[in-house]
Amino acid sequence: MLDKTFNPADVEKRIAAQWEASGAFRAGTRPDAEPFSIVIPPPNVTGRLHIGHALNNTLQDILARFERMRGKDVLWQPGTDHAGIATQLIVERQLAERQMSRIGLGREKFLEEVWKWKAESGGAIVEQQHRLGASADWSRERFTMDEGLSRAVTKVFVELYKQGLIYKDKRLVNWDPRLQTAVSDLEVESIEVKGHLWYIKYPIEDSDQFITVATTRPETMLGDTAVAVHPGDERYAALMGRQVVLPLTGRLIPIIADEYSDPEKGTGAVKITPGHDFNDFEVGKRHKLEVINLINKDGTLNDGVPAPYRGLSRDAARKKIVADLEALELVVKIEPITHAVPHDEKTKTVVLEPFLTEQWYLNVAPLAAKAIAAVEKGETKFVPDNWANVYFGWLKNIRPWCISRQLWWGHQIPVWYGPEGEVFVAETEAEAQAQAGDKPLTRDADVLDTWFSSALWPFSTMGWPDDTIELKRFYPTSVLVTGFDIIFFWVARMMMMGIHFLGEVPFRTVVIHNRVLDEAGAKMSKTKGNVVDPITLIDEFGADALRFTLALAAGQSRDMRIGPTRVETNRNFATKLWNTSRFCEMNGCVTVPGFDPTTVTQTVNKWIVAETAQAIADVTAAIEALRFNDAASAAYHFVYDIFCDWYIEITKPVFQTGAEDVKAETRATTAWARDTVLKLLHPFMPFITEELWAATAPREQMLVVAQWPSLAVKAEAASAEINWVIDLIKGVRSVRAEMNVPAGAKVPLVLTGASEESAARLARNIDVIATLARLSSAEAAPAIPKGSAQFVLNEAVVALPLGDVIDFAKERARLEKDLKKAQDEIARFEAKLGNEQFVAKAPEEVLAEQREKLAEAQALAVRLTDAIGRLQE
């Protein structure tokens, strides 16, 4: 007996344990079945499940459950990423709270602390994935720093080094002075901040003239090695080739001609600091300028600057330099500006002006060429396909990848150095020592970029470099589901590494989903206080409601809006499903073994069988096409509108007064349709469907491994009749609502101009129509009675004589007043959206809201106009 209400908190943990105990999620248990594989984008071990994770995991789980029910051997590979910078930061903060430090502990002891933290706290996000209902093969869970994956990382580094693709070079990198490590260009977040633009005079040598440059970073002027002007800038034609005296240092630096300088910007003269600006570095290479590094690894100025500035932080140096320049009357003016300043996206530390340092690089250009060709040839396709252009744009303009990081947590680079600087690259220290003979070795202290190990994820998790059964069976994977923001970081790099080391693309299809916004269409941020926590939503409404909301919102090529109101709506949908199942149970609708839905004889049962077949086709096709929102919408429409709202309502009288044979058929059909509903909804709402599956009939197996439904049947005559009945009832209900007919009032119905078939349909279904439309009578007649509201149904006109129920004159006046109000609203919204200044300045979420309100007002005006037209005195 089903409980009166469905309580997710009571069910979800129990159901999850049953799934796990059953081994339903395990791959390799169907050796003769077609394989289907998908790798989870490994979340950071430091993280908590955010709404983007919830979306991504839900979409993957829909595919895994769908294909599992279709009989495939499904591998959904889970795991987590070691998250080098983020994890090291957390542990360092915890050490600081205990008055300890990483440096004080030393590398070995510090890494012990990190592993200890990982064992105690690193599993939080995995537990949260379980709460969401993720049906991954948890017995195969991997971690990017586990032994097997670490062996793969080392193997890849050594092989790429032997192939001449990995090398060491001294170049500019983005440098994080807090962690004292290089940071990838892709991990730099430009944040708009308020600052200043200083205009500074540089004296011309042997002259009383000056050339003025503008800079947002006065402290870097100490490393200037030239001033650049455009070769076509006539203002500076006489100065090209001369030298200026660099203020505060006395060094002479040349005035050079270079097209990098824009005559339209600032003064047209640009200070060139090759050691601390990427563009300046390129100018410096063209003109063979000296590259001066001003800054220590911790962000303080080094001993290469004049004594008064040594050891100062960047901010302190900036203040002192500006003050000294003002004392020399070399500051022309200071302008307040808002400009983009690069920050490390993880630490939010202001990234140092590019820092000249020696790092390990991977020449990815040869790998990128193969990755481009694979997508061009269709070996991997993007869904939606426009994301392929983003992929191509990055790979076709790719630069060498700086793969080293000055951290301790991560894969330590497998390079050892001899006493004379000799380099030995090997998979183990023993191999390196064998190469070096009796020379003492010191290992490179750097670790690899976290994304290096992530790039190997599709094949390293399957046991590579060993030739495993999993690789043979599940690689390439079937599909990857991920966000657009890591096409560069991850997707492209997996493509490059997979093709290079296994000779095949790592996945056949890449599904890219867009951002999750709040309910108002605004980007979520902690400062706005509009961040939606999926665990909070699960606690309040249940995992099924959240999952279904995410699936409904996941349209291709569009951002999605998620919040408590929308999740609550789908909690109500789950409640509807539960209550309908209780109704079925209370009316003896029991699953009949061997029931054949194609043999039913009752019109309404033929109709629901055909509608169920159509729903199966629609949901299946949409999931196959990776249109998750269309699949969820099709399931919702069938379950809520067709099965619950119409079939159950139409058949209620059968359970009360129908003949025994009709009752028996209807009960069996209802139970069959309910079971099919549970199957169709299971990929989206696994907990409630599994609970209902077990509670409503004795079952041979759990729903998670039940067979996906398949049925091809049509019932054109039955469908035409029941759909006609539904359209008639909906039309009557609409008129009653528009005309303010009291809910308790029963009104007559007259069908005029009807064909014999329509009149017969009315007669055959008069009891259902009268009950559901609240009619006192219903008949076919030749003329429309006076005082009727009317609407057209196919060839006939349906008339509702309402003269005794409502005051037509007052009702017309009310409708016309409401129409005027709607038209005024339309005019107001159209004026606002037609205002170019408003459209240019308003945030996108405000514009979306205004367009939505305009559409609502326009739809209301149409309905009111139709209602007025229905009134006939």
Side-chain angles (χ1 to χ4, degrees), residues 609-787:
V609 168
E611 289 289 343
T612 304
Q614 186 61 53
I616 293 169
D618 291 345
V619 174
T620 302
I623 297 179
E624 286 178 336
L626 305 167
R627 299 193 315 272
F628 300 99
N629 63 314
D630 290 343
S633 295
Y636 181 93
H637 168 66
F638 170 67
V639 175
Y640 201 107
D641 300 333
I642 302 297
F643 182 64
C644 296
D645 269 7
W646 287 111
Y647 180 69
I648 294 297
E649 291 302 317
I650 290 172
T651 56
K652 274 182 181 178
V654 174
F655 298 129
Q656 296 163 6
T657 59
E660 285 305 315
D661 60 334
V662 176
K663 275 186 186 178
E665 179 185 288
T666 304
R667 282 172 175 154
T669 306
T670 303
W672 168 83
R674 177 207 58 211
D675 288 354
T676 306
V677 162
L678 298 180
K679 290 179 179 181
L680 290 177
L681 283 178
H682 182 74
F684 308 95
M685 308 176 81
F687 291 106
I688 190 172
T689 53
E690 190 73 76
E691 179 75 351
L692 287 170
W693 180 259
T696 51
R699 308 289 185 180
E700 294 180 359
Q701 57 190 355
M702 297 184 75
L703 179 57
V704 67
V705 290
Q707 186 175 1
W708 185 257
S710 175
L711 180 66
V713 63
K714 291 186 181 297
E716 293 178 2
S719 294
E721 177 154 329
I722 298 301
N723 289 334
W724 183 90
V725 169
I726 290 171
D727 289 343
L728 174 59
I729 295 168
K730 286 163 74 173
V732 172
R733 287 175 174 176
S734 178
V735 170
R736 290 178 66 110
E738 289 168 0
M739 300 299 154
N740 268 351
V741 175
K746 291 190 175 183
V747 299
L749 178 148
V750 176
L751 187 68
T752 65
S755 65
E756 287 186 15
E757 179 59 34
S758 293
R761 286 171 179 168
L762 179 65
R764 283 194 295 267
N765 298 282
I766 193 165
D767 291 342
V768 166
I769 294 169
T771 300
L772 297 183
R774 299 196 64 77
L775 302 176
S776 57
S777 63
E779 62 176 349
I784 298 172
K786 287 188 175 182

Side-chain angles (χ1 to χ4, degrees), residues 171-434:
R171 304 168 59 127
L172 286 186
V173 297
N174 294 297
W175 185 262
D176 185 327
R178 180 178 174 186
L179 285 172
Q180 297 186 34
T181 180
V183 176
S184 162
D185 290 350
L186 298 176
E187 294 170 309
V188 176
E189 180 182 358
S190 291
I191 299 175
E192 291 284 328
V193 299
K194 291 181 179 179
H196 296 89
L197 188 63
W198 285 270
Y199 289 78
I200 303 168
K201 293 191 294 186
Y202 284 17
I204 307 295
E205 183 192 22
D206 298 330
S207 164
D208 58 359
Q209 291 179 288
F210 297 88
I211 189 168
T212 300
V213 300
T215 181
T216 59
R217 304 175 295 170
E219 68 278 8
T220 64
M221 67 176 287
L222 303 178
D224 287 358
T225 52
V227 172
V229 296
H230 193 278
D233 194 334
E234 295 182 358
R235 293 173 296 174
Y236 300 115
L239 296 179
M240 294 178 198
R242 297 190 63 180
Q243 299 195 97
V244 300
V245 180
L246 184 64
L248 307 179
T249 70
R251 277 192 296 112
L252 293 177
I253 60 174
I255 299 173
I256 60 173
D258 194 283
E259 291 186 353
Y260 168 62
S261 178
D262 184 350
E264 304 298 320
K265 288 182 67 176
T267 65
V270 183
K271 61 189 282 304
I272 301 298
T273 320
H276 294 286
D277 185 279
F278 286 108
N279 292 318
D280 292 4
F281 185 76
E282 296 302 320
V283 174
K285 284 202 296 187
R286 288 197 290 272
H287 295 271
K288 296 183 172 58
L289 299 175
E290 183 184 2
V291 179
I292 298 174
N293 179 28
L294 299 173
I295 299 175
N296 295 312
K297 291 181 178 180
D298 64 358
T300 58
L301 271 62
N302 64 25
D303 290 346
V305 303
Y309 312 111
R310 292 173 190 168
L312 296 180
S313 69
R314 288 169 294 165
D315 290 341
R318 180 176 298 179
K319 289 176 184 176
K320 181 162 178 55
I321 286 169
V322 169
D324 291 349
L325 290 170
E326 287 177 330
L328 294 169
E329 298 183 348
L330 293 177
V331 177
V332 178
K333 62 179 178 177
I334 304 171
E335 291 180 352
I337 60 168
T338 299
H339 62 136
V341 176
H343 291 67
D344 182 332
E345 67 168 5
K346 291 185 177 68
T347 67
K348 303 304 179 186
T349 304
V350 177
V351 171
L352 192 65
E353 289 80 8
F355 188 67
L356 188 66
T357 180
E358 194 171 49
Q359 301 284 344
W360 286 98
Y361 288 87
L362 170 57
N363 176 17
V364 283
L367 282 65
K370 294 178 184 177
I372 291 168
V375 175
E376 288 178 336
K377 289 187 289 188
E379 293 171 20
T380 294
K381 66 174 184 176
F382 280 81
V383 177
D385 59 8
N386 60 291
W387 289 112
N389 295 327
V390 176
Y391 170 86
F392 289 138
W394 186 66
L395 285 177
K396 290 178 180 178
N397 296 285
I398 201 164
R399 300 194 303 183
W401 177 10
C402 176
I403 57 174
S404 50
R405 297 291 182 270
Q406 289 64 54
L407 304 171
W408 285 357
W409 174 243
H411 296 98
Q412 193 169 354
I413 288 176
V415 174
W416 287 262
Y417 301 104
E420 303 299 322
E422 309 96 317
V423 177
F424 302 99
V425 178
E427 292 184 38
T428 65
E429 188 170 3
E431 290 178 17
Q433 194 66 65

